[in-house]
Amino acid sequence: MKQQTPRSFAHSRGLHSLVLAAVLSATSGLASAQGNTAASRFYEDALQRFEKKDYPGSIIQLKNALKDNPNNLPVQLLLGKALLENGDVVAAEVAFNEALKLGVNRAEVVERLGRSMVAQGKQLDMLAHPALQPAGLPNGVQLQMHVLRAGAQADLGQIAPALKSIDEARRLDSRSPDVWLAEVPIRIRSKKFTEALQAVDHALGIAPNMAEAHYQKGSILHVQGDLTGATASYTRALQLDANHVEALIAQIGLQLDANRLEEAARDAGALQRVAPKDPRGSYFKALLAERQGRLPEAQAALREVTSLLDPVPMSFMRYRSQLLMLNGLSHHGLNEPEKARQYLEAYLRTQPNSPVTRLLARIYLSTGSVTEAANLLENYLKNQLGDGLASNLLGSVYIAQGKHARAATLMQQTLKSQDLPEYRTTLGMGLLGSGQTADALTELEAAYKKDPKQLAAAIVLSQLYLREGQQARGLALIQTLVKQQPTNAGLYNLLGQAQAQNGDAMAARASFEKAAQLSPDLIQAQLNLVRLDLDARALDAAEQRITNLLKTQPRNTDALAAMARVVDLRGKAAEAQTWLEKARDNSGPRELRWNLALVDLHLRAGRPEQALAEAKIAQGKSSDNITGLLFYSRAQLAMGDAQGARGTLSRATRLADFDADLQVEIATQQLAAQNLDGAYYSLDKALTGEPQSLPAQVLMARVEFQRGDVAKAEQRARTIVQKYPRRAVGHTLMGDLALAQTRPGPALEAFRKAHAVEPSSGTTLRLMQVLEAQGNDKGAQEAAAQRLRQAPKDTVVLNALANLHARAGRYGDAGKNYQALLLQQPQDVSALNNLANVQLKLGDKSALQTAEKAHGLAPANALVIDTLGWAHHHFGQQDKALSLLRDARLREPANPEIRYHLAKVLAQTGRQGEAQEELREAMKTGRPFEGSKEAEQLLKTLN
């Protein structure tokens, strides 16, 4: 039985299981009012009004429902639909995003959300929105999104992505004129006018009276110099649609070029009436006033331009070169050089060959941007090859980027010109990061020997000794440093870290307290004391210490994140998210730690879209950070984008060089992305850098087996057993290989050996799984009982035993085990949810209370919501059941059991048509589920 699955009762009928992480959903305020009866009545009335196209009435009723509960997911989603149909695109976007935050399945909302954003001119935001990515969506929805993305990318001048989106859209439906018109601006930018005309003529063949198609044809003729043809096309577009803004603007431009000022003034007035907030109309007004000598009016018109464009975020404008140049010129005309420079530099960022590139690189360097600093130094060193200090700085930048092998190569070359200890220190760090531990030790020892004041070398060297198991040597080196600098608080802090790593918490506390005494402002020592408190579960002491820190340094990100861990351990997941967000928002522009902590939090809570959004922010901060890439890949995989994850991991593999630990992690994710060759390549690099890496050896054996090289995999596994006879890992590997070859006897023997040499939760679970799979339920129970006699507080095995009983239908025994587990972990949502289901099976009315407690801890989890809704149904509270089950269905529409539960309640409350739809969708999945026979019978009854 696999752990970490949505339903761990894989062999039973209808028992939910959520083997969740310790940090769960952070959607606050959702539990208190979801079942409110009044809100449910408002919603049902609004739904009927919406179906009758009474959108204003529907909006009123939905807003009434939100007064009782602003976090009601079905209400927020329907409100977005009604607002969009009513033309209020700004409010619609807000409602759709709120629905996403509350956990709606994105396939339910993406097309409407995308349309609402495009209608506001927010193309860039739409493209970046994590929920609007086509990967993983149903085919019909993908088609809609590819069309939206093609238009947005064309607006932004993103040529390759736009063409790719167009190709994707055409593969799905080549009869839509939009998929042909989207190509036109791209071809114009590339000066491929023949292809542009072919595309627009294809669109006109499909839709000959489409104003946009005639405008696009005019734009092609315009840039080709065919002004007569362009004028004719613009005129035709305006005949078909007198309010076509782009055709009006193009026509005014032609009139100004021809000095037909009267006509230009007339059409500029029309443009102002049609689009009063379009800055191009104000700029035309300024040009007309200037040409006519009315300078005050020209200045006022330029001020209109800047007042319209200055408030627009630069992130929105940066790809709109026309608007950037327009605002830059307007500020220049107003004699505002600093603001003009800001926009003109942004404009030049779209011109990669511009000489302004050097200036921008210096600006990035001055703000601490690591990637841009590297670019600057690389360009500099092309002309200043002998500048060793610049090379050393670049080496440090490479290390910060995770490019350790490149740093080592650079410093080896630099040392040929001049041998300085600081160069060897940087070289040692580069070698260490690329997995060449022995060579790193040599270089760092040489640097420290040559200059004992090389503190960086000594610190890294001591930590390396500790990591390699040379605790005495590492501690001795740090103690030597402390003796040399007895008033150095940082060294006492380092000593405490070493002592804590060595398991001596008492000595570590004394060292941290000494560091804090020497330097009360040394926050790191205080934070290390907090970590000791947390390790000892002294949460009150930890919270008080952090509170004191935040009184003097309210923006200290480490303190904010430490408070997140405190409240997390108290079971307050939403509050933990808030504290991490504060840490992120107060961190520097290149700081990734808190972004990645939030990614992990969202992933463990089952919120992949939010995780992907946070991972993208981290990528924006540092695109070459390997850890950031790995978190980004995890989010992509969680979103179902295996292809994107493979690309991300390929980049990470290149950057990780020969770092064994990193390559093993990359290989693991490559396997999750179904990229067997990529995993093999990463592991080969890992073993090249560190041939004795046990994790790399184990994973390589598994990969070799999957690649069909069984003999090689088995030989590697036997070698591991011989080298580590008292470790479980080799025996477990042998067992897994035997199972994969359908040899149950040898597999069971190997797992028994693994458990015998290294009893643990993991070896017990594997043994239980094999015994159960072989039909030996009693043996699996005995293995669990034996482990629990040795380790009564092993909650992992206790949970596995409860699941085992539940799968076998021994609900009484399962309930007892879940209750025993909850005595140790009262906030274990998985156990609470499973217990509630067991109690429902037993007809125990306490199931409702148990389900409510689980829901209070995980209010955004679809299975937990479903369990609570089903419990309300069982005990006759249909209004509450309906509200909850609607919510669960929106969060997990592919779950047939949730759809069946909802249909059952819908049928009982008189909504037979909706019940039929839910039942048909449940049957379409083809997945077996608890109640499938009852669902079929109910559908027959309703037909």
Side-chain angles (χ1 to χ4, degrees):
M1 179 190 71
K2 291 184 179 181
Q3 299 298 307
Q4 304 292 339
T5 58
R7 302 268 178 161
S8 63
F9 296 151
H11 311 300
S12 74
R13 302 178 63 79
L15 288 171
H16 300 326
S17 178
L18 316 165
V19 185
L20 302 176
V23 180
L24 296 159
S25 169
T27 305
S28 63
L30 195 59
S32 61
Q34 267 185 310
N36 186 280
T37 304
S40 181
R41 288 199 300 268
F42 283 130
Y43 175 86
E44 298 299 328
D45 184 61
L47 181 59
Q48 293 178 23
R49 291 175 183 274
F50 181 86
E51 290 167 351
K52 296 175 182 177
K53 302 188 185 305
D54 176 16
Y55 303 123
S58 180
I59 291 167
I60 291 171
Q61 292 296 70
L62 291 167
K63 288 183 177 179
N64 286 333
L66 289 176
K67 289 178 182 177
D68 290 331
N69 179 15
N71 293 320
N72 189 308
L73 173 57
V75 173
Q76 287 287 3
L77 180 58
L78 186 58
L79 177 60
K81 295 177 182 179
L83 288 166
L84 182 60
E85 295 297 333
N86 205 43
D88 191 348
V89 293
V90 177
E93 181 194 1
V94 173
F96 289 136
N97 276 315
E98 188 63 22
L100 283 171
K101 289 179 185 176
L102 293 173
V104 71
N105 185 277
R106 66 192 186 106
E108 299 282 324
V109 73
V110 287
E111 191 272 338
R112 291 183 175 91
L113 175 57
R115 281 198 286 127
S116 72
M117 296 177 76
V118 169
Q120 299 173 66
K122 299 171 68 172
Q123 284 87 340
L124 188 62
D125 294 338
M126 187 276 285
L127 289 171
H129 200 299
L132 303 185
Q133 307 308 307
L137 290 169
N139 287 344
V141 184
Q142 281 198 46
L143 169 63
Q144 297 167 336
M145 297 313 297
H146 282 305
V147 171
L148 278 171
R149 292 178 67 82
Q153 289 161 332
D155 288 343
L156 300 171
Q158 299 175 359
I159 295 175
L163 289 174
K164 183 178 179 182
S165 293
I166 290 168
D167 287 339
E168 292 292 339
R170 287 177 183 171
R171 274 194 285 271
L172 293 167
D173 182 6
S174 63
R175 293 294 301 166
S176 168
D178 291 336
V179 303
W180 298 97
L181 292 179
E183 181 182 355
V184 174
I186 301 171
R187 296 304 187 186
I188 291 175
R189 290 186 184 96
S190 304
K191 298 183 179 180
K192 295 181 178 179
F193 305 122
T194 301
E195 291 86 344
L197 281 170
Q198 289 172 349
V200 80
D201 286 340
H202 201 127
L204 284 168
I206 297 169
N209 292 322
M210 187 178 186
E212 177 67 15
H214 286 283
Y215 159 73
Q216 293 279 18
K217 185 164 188 176
S219 67
I220 301 167
L221 299 172
H222 195 159
V223 295
Q224 286 184 298
D226 183 357
L227 302 186
T228 301
T231 299
S233 291
Y234 294 148
T235 300
R236 178 58 179 153
L238 289 167
Q239 287 172 348
L240 292 166
D241 180 2
N243 294 330
H244 196 290
V245 171
E246 298 303 323
L248 268 173
I249 289 172
Q251 186 160 276
I252 295 167
L254 286 174
Q255 292 162 347
L256 285 170
D257 290 341
N259 205 33
R260 301 199 307 269
L261 301 186
E262 187 175 340
E263 295 175 36
R266 179 200 66 204
D267 287 340
L271 177 61
Q272 288 272 288
R273 288 190 296 274
V274 172
K277 293 185 178 181
D278 193 311
R280 293 171 293 183
S282 297
Y283 194 72
F284 282 140
K285 187 163 63 173
L287 290 178
L288 285 165
E290 184 181 33
R291 290 192 184 187
Q292 294 169 353
R294 296 179 280 112
L295 297 182
E297 290 183 31
Q299 291 280 297
L302 290 175
R303 187 66 68 190
E304 288 179 11
V305 175
T306 59
S307 67
L308 288 168
L309 291 179
D310 281 354
V312 178
M314 186 63 74
S315 60
F316 178 76
M317 291 181 63
R318 59 182 175 177
Y319 293 110
R320 289 163 169 74
S321 57
Q322 185 185 60
L323 295 182
L324 289 167
M325 181 62 75
L326 185 67
N327 210 28
L329 292 174
S330 297
H331 280 297
H332 179 69
L334 292 168
N335 194 28
E336 297 171 345
E338 289 301 316
K339 289 184 178 180
R341 183 171 66 95
Q342 175 189 357
Y343 286 96
L344 293 175
E345 287 177 349
Y347 169 76
L348 292 174
R349 280 199 291 272
T350 66
Q351 311 293 327
N353 296 321
S354 166
V356 177
T357 302
R358 294 178 183 175
L359 174 61
L360 294 176
R362 287 196 295 271
I363 294 172
Y364 292 139
L365 179 61
S366 68
T367 57
S369 178
V370 177
T371 301
E372 285 71 18
N375 293 337
L376 175 69
L377 290 168
E378 286 168 347
N379 290 333
Y380 171 76
L381 288 169
K382 287 178 183 178
N383 300 314
Q384 302 291 335
L385 296 176
D387 191 333
L389 293 175
S391 295
N392 191 47
L393 177 59
L394 181 57
S396 299
V397 170
Y398 283 152
I399 290 170
Q401 291 178 308
K403 301 177 181 179
H404 300 98
R406 188 179 295 184
T409 300
L410 175 64
M411 296 317 300
Q412 285 166 344
Q413 294 172 347
T414 304
L415 281 162
K416 292 177 182 178
S417 301
Q418 189 176 16
D419 189 349
L420 294 177
E422 53 266 38
Y423 295 177
R424 290 199 174 274
T425 297
T426 306
L427 172 59
M429 292 178 180
L431 291 168
L432 181 62
S434 59
Q436 301 177 62
T437 305
D439 291 339
L441 271 171
T442 299
E443 295 298 337
L444 291 168
E445 286 172 342
Y448 182 62
K449 183 178 180 180
K450 191 168 185 178
D451 181 8
K453 295 181 180 179
Q454 275 289 308
L455 192 58
I459 290 172
V460 175
L461 193 57
S462 65
Q463 292 175 332
L464 186 55
Y465 287 148
L466 291 169
R467 195 187 82 175
E468 294 297 302
Q470 302 180 48
Q471 278 80 9
R473 198 172 181 184
L475 279 170
L477 178 54
I478 300 172
Q479 287 166 343
T480 298
L481 296 174
V482 168
K483 289 178 182 177
Q484 292 173 350
Q485 302 182 47
T487 60
N488 189 320
L491 290 176
Y492 273 103
N493 186 60
L494 180 64
L495 177 60
Q497 290 174 326
Q499 291 164 330
Q501 185 178 341
N502 204 33
D504 192 347
M506 185 178 296
R509 185 174 291 276
S511 294
F512 292 142
E513 288 173 347
K514 179 66 173 177
Q517 178 187 352
L518 287 169
S519 178
D521 295 332
L522 183 61
I523 301 300
Q524 197 58 48
Q526 296 286 350
L527 291 171
N528 282 325
L529 286 167
V530 168
R531 292 186 183 98
L532 291 179
D533 291 335
L534 292 174
D535 290 342
R537 291 300 185 268
L539 300 185
D540 290 341
E543 185 170 358
Q544 185 59 55
R545 200 184 298 274
I546 299 169
T547 300
N548 292 337
L549 281 174
L550 291 173
K551 285 178 181 177
T552 58
Q553 297 197 35
R555 296 178 180 274
N556 185 282
T557 58
D558 289 289
L560 292 166
M563 187 65 87
R565 189 180 173 206
V566 170
V567 297
D568 184 11
L569 290 171
R570 293 191 189 278
K572 300 177 181 179
E575 195 174 339
Q577 179 180 338
T578 299
W579 283 106
L580 278 178
E581 287 170 346
K582 288 181 180 178
R584 175 202 62 193
D585 294 343
N586 284 284
S587 63
R590 311 302 291 178
E591 176 62 81
L592 302 186
R593 287 182 298 163
W594 316 130
N595 297 90
L596 301 184
L598 280 163
V599 172
D600 186 64
L601 174 68
H602 290 312
L603 286 175
R604 289 185 283 121
R607 297 188 296 271
E609 291 156 11
Q610 289 170 264
L612 184 64
E614 199 65 46
K616 285 186 174 181
I617 294 172
Q619 281 288 287
K621 288 183 173 183
S622 181
S623 60
D624 289 339
N625 183 281
I626 298 175
T627 305
L629 287 169
L630 289 171
F631 274 77
Y632 187 43
S633 169
R634 284 178 58 197
Q636 289 174 308
L637 288 170
M639 287 288 291
D641 185 8
Q643 183 177 356
R646 288 193 289 270
T648 301
L649 292 168
S650 294
R651 285 183 59 209
T653 299
R654 290 193 297 271
L655 294 171
D657 293 321
F658 298 98
D659 186 310
D661 293 338
L662 284 174
Q663 293 291 3
V664 167
E665 188 173 353
I666 293 167
T668 302
Q669 290 197 32
Q670 288 280 28
L671 290 175
Q674 300 179 346
N675 186 4
L676 198 60
D677 291 340
Y680 183 89
Y681 178 71
S682 293
L683 292 169
D684 186 62
K685 289 186 73 175
L687 291 170
T688 299
E690 194 172 336
Q692 302 307 315
S693 170
L694 181 58
Q697 291 283 0
V698 171
L699 193 56
M700 180 61 96
R702 299 184 188 280
V703 169
E704 287 169 339
F705 182 85
Q706 291 182 50
R707 284 163 62 94
D709 198 340
V710 178
K712 197 169 184 179
E714 289 183 333
Q715 180 56 49
R716 193 181 295 274
R718 283 192 291 270
T719 300
I720 293 171
V721 170
Q722 292 169 1
K723 192 165 185 178
Y724 304 98
R726 304 305 302 169
R727 297 284 302 275
V729 61
H731 298 291
T732 299
L733 180 57
M734 291 291 290
D736 287 336
L737 293 176
L739 279 181
Q741 297 173 76
T742 322
R743 296 190 293 121
L748 181 58
E749 181 183 358
F751 288 122
R752 287 193 186 279
K753 286 181 180 178
H755 185 56
V757 299
E758 198 172 349
S760 67
S761 301
T763 58
T764 304
L765 289 183
R766 292 296 287 126
L767 182 57
M768 289 176 66
Q769 290 163 359
V770 174
L771 288 166
E772 185 186 9
Q774 294 182 10
N776 191 351
D777 182 273
K778 185 177 180 180
Q781 291 183 60
E782 290 173 351
Q786 181 184 6
R787 172 61 181 170
L788 291 171
R789 284 193 294 271
Q790 297 170 345
K793 294 185 178 182
D794 191 329
T795 56
V796 174
V797 173
L798 188 58
N799 185 64
L801 179 58
N803 293 343
L804 179 68
H805 285 312
R807 284 193 296 273
R810 297 186 293 270
Y811 301 123
D813 291 334
K816 290 177 183 177
N817 286 129
Y818 287 131
Q819 287 169 339
L821 173 59
L822 288 165
L823 288 175
Q824 297 184 54
Q825 298 178 174
Q827 295 180 330
D828 187 321
V829 174
S830 172
L832 285 165
N833 196 59
N834 288 341
L835 177 59
N837 279 283
V838 164
Q839 290 167 332
L840 283 173
K841 287 288 185 182
L842 296 171
D844 185 346
K845 291 186 177 180
S846 59
L848 186 57
Q849 182 180 359
T850 305
E852 285 174 341
K853 186 173 182 181
H855 185 244
L857 292 168
N861 186 281
L863 295 180
V864 171
I865 298 168
D866 176 61
T867 299
L868 180 57
W870 197 232
H872 277 298
H873 162 69
H874 270 278
F875 298 116
Q877 299 169 350
Q878 304 306 331
D879 284 346
K880 291 183 178 180
L882 182 59
S883 178
L884 288 159
L885 292 170
R886 282 191 188 279
D887 189 302
R889 195 290 245 183
L890 287 171
R891 295 174 192 276
E892 201 168 314
N895 188 307
E897 188 172 342
I898 292 176
R899 282 187 179 268
Y900 161 59
H901 290 168
L902 175 58
K904 180 92 172 186
V905 178
L906 285 167
Q908 290 192 6
T909 54
R911 295 188 67 86
Q912 282 79 6
E914 197 176 348
Q916 287 177 322
E917 182 182 350
E918 293 297 334
L919 289 168
R920 291 192 188 100
E921 290 298 322
M923 297 305 178
K924 273 185 191 178
T925 65
R927 292 166 50 188
F929 62 93
E930 168 70 14
S932 58
K933 291 182 180 179
E934 292 86 346
E936 290 177 6
Q937 186 59 43
L938 178 59
L939 184 57
K940 289 178 183 178
T941 302
L942 295 173
N943 285 333

